[in-house]
Amino acid sequence: MNTPVQGKGEAYLQGEWQQDNIPGERKLLNYSLSKFRFTCDSFYIAINTISRVNSGADSCMNKGRWTEYIKGRYEQTGDALHLRGVFVNADGSLKDNKTCFRFGPYETYYKVETRNDSLLTFSSSTTVLPIQARLVKRITCTPKALQY
């Protein structure tokens, strides 16, 4: 029997993508900037949040800056990108409910627009502002065996 391996994913997505800023961020009380990493059919997201309002415990809020991490698998149908994963710690281990901020399953859909081979726009019905992401590093998909 062959070991199951991850799928190849979408060739144009393979790599590290970074959101550098959002329009009007200096005027916002809270905003987030995302970094995406797509390798084969897997994704990893780091969401850096900046808040000028302390609405929680400072051990979590870290003076108004914190990062949340998500990993999982994606599928694309037409221009719809379906991300399904879980919130994790910085080291990739599963995040439990005793930690700060979100934990458990993560699922969202993005409409993806390709501006060119190094600029993408991710739009979602759950957020107001689209994510403009630039390619930081291209990655070649090398499918790995799935671990259970």
Side-chain angles (χ1 to χ4, degrees), residues 47-108:
I47 302 172
N48 297 303
T49 300
I50 295 89
S51 177
R52 292 181 176 82
V53 178
N54 189 350
S55 58
D58 200 44
S59 61
C60 290
M61 301 290 286
N62 192 27
K63 297 180 182 169
R65 294 181 174 269
W66 65 90
T67 305
E68 294 180 283
Y69 304 94
I70 306 159
K71 71 178 182 179
R73 294 185 61 206
Y74 74 89
E75 296 175 331
Q76 184 160 1
T77 305
D79 62 358
L81 183 66
H82 182 198
L83 304 178
R84 192 176 347 188
V86 292
F87 286 91
V88 295
N89 296 307
D91 65 2
S93 62
L94 189 61
K95 192 173 179 186
D96 65 28
N97 63 352
K98 296 177 182 82
T99 59
C100 298
F101 307 111
R102 298 178 285 181
F103 62 90
Y106 171 86
E107 186 168 10
T108 194

Side-chain angles (χ1 to χ4, degrees), residues 86-146:
V86 292
F87 286 91
V88 295
N89 296 307
D91 65 2
S93 62
L94 189 61
K95 192 173 179 186
D96 65 28
N97 63 352
K98 296 177 182 82
T99 59
C100 298
F101 307 111
R102 298 178 285 181
F103 62 90
Y106 171 86
E107 186 168 10
T108 194
Y109 288 86
Y110 286 111
K111 177 182 177 188
V112 181
E113 293 179 52
T114 306
R115 301 286 184 197
N116 56 48
D117 64 347
S118 62
L119 186 61
L120 298 175
T121 300
F122 298 95
S123 302
S124 170
S125 61
T126 60
T127 58
V128 176
L129 299 171
I131 296 171
Q132 300 271 346
R134 68 175 172 83
L135 181 64
V136 176
K137 178 182 173 185
R138 185 64 69 190
I139 295 174
T140 301
C141 171
T142 306
K144 297 177 184 155
L146 296 175

Side-chain angles (χ1 to χ4, degrees), residues 2-74:
N2 292 333
T3 305
V5 295
Q6 69 186 135
K8 291 190 182 223
E10 300 294 327
Y12 81 98
L13 280 176
Q14 303 302 302
E16 296 176 8
W17 300 84
Q18 181 170 318
Q19 179 185 22
D20 293 321
N21 54 44
I22 59 172
E25 68 186 38
R26 291 179 190 247
K27 296 179 183 178
L28 298 174
L29 294 177
N30 299 309
Y31 65 93
S32 297
L33 299 173
S34 300
K35 293 180 182 178
F36 295 85
R37 183 172 195 264
F38 294 97
T39 175
C40 299
D41 66 352
S42 300
F43 73 88
Y44 182 80
I45 305 172
I47 302 172
N48 297 303
T49 300
I50 295 89
S51 177
R52 292 181 176 82
V53 178
N54 189 350
S55 58
D58 200 44
S59 61
C60 290
M61 301 290 286
N62 192 27
K63 297 180 182 169
R65 294 181 174 269
W66 65 90
T67 305
E68 294 180 283
Y69 304 94
I70 306 159
K71 71 178 182 179
R73 294 185 61 206
Y74 74 89

